[in-house]
Amino acid sequence: MEPKILLFIIKLIAGGIVAFLAILLMSKKRNAGWAFMVSGFLLSYASLVYELLIELGVLTATKYGLWGIPVSTLLCATLPSICFITAFIIMLAKR
């Protein structure tokens, strides 16, 4: 098996566990900060799956781009971080 694909499989397993635990945590903590935190983890996992599908050739990146980067790839890279930033700001504002 190619090492790059093996690394993706390991990331998918670890990311799946993180996403599952994040959903369980969300059922216990019901506030906006934690909702954005869980959203960030889920979007990170979705981004990983998207990258794998592009790597395997199942999907192709969008032909539209910003600064030479496909928009879909740019969104997958930035949305999880935006959710984490929002979560931290909400949590800091509550203290």
Side-chain angles (χ1 to χ4, degrees):
M1 183 179 290
E2 190 176 331
K4 199 172 194 180
I5 301 299
L6 182 61
L7 181 61
F8 266 115
I9 292 171
I10 292 169
K11 285 181 181 180
L12 283 172
I13 292 170
I17 293 169
V18 169
F20 177 74
L21 293 174
I23 292 169
L24 286 179
L25 177 66
M26 186 59 208
S27 68
K28 302 225 182 274
K29 301 277 188 181
R30 295 180 189 246
N31 63 31
W34 281 107
F36 277 103
M37 187 72 70
V38 170
S39 297
F41 287 122
L42 294 176
L43 286 171
S44 293
Y45 187 69
S47 174
L48 179 63
V49 171
Y50 176 75
E51 288 175 24
L52 178 63
L53 291 175
I54 287 178
E55 184 71 29
L56 293 174
V58 176
L59 293 177
T60 58
T62 58
K63 63 181 176 179
Y64 304 107
L66 292 172
W67 307 290
I69 303 169
V71 173
S72 57
T73 304
L74 186 63
L75 286 175
C76 284
T78 58
L79 280 179
S81 296
I82 291 170
C83 285
F84 291 136
I85 290 167
T86 306
F88 291 136
I89 289 172
I90 290 171
M91 288 179 187
L92 286 171
K94 286 189 176 185
R95 299 248 172 208

